[in-house]
């Protein structure tokens, strides 16, 4: 696929995927959603870590309503249809892929962008970045998995504050609430995100197992999580990276993982 709405590159095992419509602060259309799913599928095959970000001054301003005028004019409109067709598959691709996904946020992560940002396994924010669940201001409900992802990250009451009141949550607050992993000066965001992505790309095969178990644990009992850990430990223990990790520990050197 030739991309018109995103950028994709692969370097040092890191797939960098950037929403690329700066004039709308990377407002998402169905076409962009389809491209994101395709790029994530390619990254799941070729990369060892993924960096998801936005070009220009914003991460994502949400759904591009200007591009949906025909839909808005239809009295029988189903706004949820575009979620099935193009938006929800993006969130599910992030969850299901083995590779750790870093979301690097500058400016707004608004509307669908709030869920997209929160879907990252590691969330980096520039000092001026913010989350903004603006749905209540336009008479819609949150999407992009926000009702689930935000409540899991910050708890029900704070998630309600974000969604019912439609308040902007700045980077410092997001960090304090556990919604962000790290906050960095805006000029350093790209470099810090790529540095972290390269570090993850050099990690062991077990990182994918850790990601899968952590996501699954959100919807399971303790007993189910214990069994998942037992299966994951079996699978991780059979990898070449495990042997390399043990040998490097015994030999007092830095491990050279191959993701195998």
């Amino acid at each position: 696929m030739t991309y018109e709405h995103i950028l994709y590159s692969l370097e040092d095992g890191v797939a960098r995927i950037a929403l690329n419509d700066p004039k709308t602060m990377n407002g998402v259309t169905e076409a962009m959603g389809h491209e994101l799913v395709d790029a994530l599928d390619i990254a799941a095959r070729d990369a060892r870590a993924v960096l998801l970000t936005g070009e220009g001054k914003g991460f994502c301003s949400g759904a591009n309503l200007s591009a949906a005028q025909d839909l808005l004019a239809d009295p029988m409109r189903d706004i949820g249809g575009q979620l099935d067709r193009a938006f929800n598959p993006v969130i599910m691709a992030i969850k299901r892929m083995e590779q750790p996904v870093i979301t690097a946020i500058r400016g707004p992560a608004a509307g669908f962008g709030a869920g997209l940002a929160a879907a990252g396994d590691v969330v980096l924010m520039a000092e001026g970045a913010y989350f903004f669940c603006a749905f209540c201001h336009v008479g819609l409900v949150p999407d992009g998995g926000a009702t689930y992802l935000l409540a899991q990250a910050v708890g029900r009451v704070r998630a309600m504050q974000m969604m019912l009141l439609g308040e902007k949550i700045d980077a410092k607050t997001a960090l304090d609430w556990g919604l962000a992993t790290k906050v960095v000066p805006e000029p350093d965001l790209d470099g810090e995100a790529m540095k972290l992505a390269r570090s993850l790309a050099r990690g062991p095969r077990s990182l994918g197992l850790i990601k899968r178990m952590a996501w699954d644990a959100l919807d399971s009992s303790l007993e189910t999580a214990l069994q998942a850990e037992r299966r994951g430990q079996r699978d991780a223990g059979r990898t070449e990276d495990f042997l390399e990790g043990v040998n490097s520990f015994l030999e007092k050197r830095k491990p050279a993982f191959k993701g195998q």
Side-chain angles (χ1 to χ4, degrees):
M1 177 182 288
T2 300
Y3 299 133
E4 298 180 4
H5 308 284
I6 67 170
L7 300 176
Y8 180 91
S9 61
L10 180 66
E11 181 181 352
D12 297 333
V14 176
R16 182 182 185 274
I17 303 172
L19 285 65
N20 187 31
D21 189 6
K23 66 181 182 296
T24 67
M25 291 273 191
N26 299 312
V28 181
T29 61
E30 289 194 32
M32 182 185 285
H34 292 313
E35 291 186 7
L36 284 170
V37 171
D38 185 79
L40 289 165
D41 286 345
I42 292 173
R45 182 191 68 202
D46 297 338
R48 292 177 62 184
V50 174
L51 171 56
L52 180 62
T53 190
E55 291 294 294
K57 297 181 180 179
F59 174 72
C60 175
S61 60
N64 186 339
L65 297 179
S66 298
Q69 291 302 309
D70 292 342
L71 180 62
L72 297 177
D74 182 358
M76 298 301 292
R77 58 187 171 270
D78 179 5
I79 302 297
Q82 65 180 352
L83 302 182
D84 289 335
R85 292 187 296 270
F87 291 10
N88 291 347
V90 176
I91 305 300
M92 293 307 299
I94 292 172
K95 175 184 177 181
R96 289 171 177 163
M97 70 191 313
E98 176 180 299
Q99 292 79 358
V101 176
I102 299 170
T103 49
I105 308 157
R106 60 166 47 86
F112 173 78
L116 182 63
D121 302 305
V122 177
V123 181
L124 263 62
M125 297 183 71
E127 289 175 343
Y130 58 91
F131 281 84
F132 185 27
C133 284
F135 301 95
C136 65
H137 298 300
V138 295
L140 289 176
V141 302
D143 58 29
T147 54
Y148 175 91
L149 294 166
L150 296 180
Q152 291 284 2
V154 305
R156 181 184 63 85
V157 173
R158 283 174 169 167
M160 288 294 192
Q161 176 181 341
M162 295 177 70
M163 295 184 289
L164 292 179
L165 303 182
E167 297 177 345
K168 295 180 180 179
I169 304 301
D170 62 30
K172 181 182 183 303
T173 303
L175 182 64
D176 291 342
W177 285 6
L179 190 54
T181 306
K182 185 177 182 181
V183 176
V184 300
E186 184 156 342
D188 299 340
L189 179 67
D190 293 332
E192 287 291 325
M194 184 56 71
K195 178 181 177 181
L196 180 55
R198 287 193 177 106
S199 176
L200 289 171
R202 293 192 295 268
R205 169 70 179 80
S206 62
L207 294 187
L209 299 172
I210 293 170
K211 171 177 176 172
R212 184 181 67 198
M213 289 190 299
W215 273 98
D216 289 347
L218 296 177
D219 302 313
S220 66
S221 65
L222 174 59
E223 291 78 9
T224 301
L226 289 171
Q227 289 303 310
E229 290 171 356
R230 188 260 176 270
R231 291 190 299 272
Q233 205 68 295
R234 175 199 63 199
D235 295 342
R238 292 174 178 172
T239 64
E240 294 181 17
D241 283 338
F242 168 65
L243 296 179
E244 167 62 12
V246 172
N247 288 332
S248 66
F249 174 77
L250 295 175
E251 296 168 7
K252 295 182 173 56
R253 59 175 174 81
K254 187 175 181 180
F257 294 123
K258 298 180 180 179
Q260 300 174 354

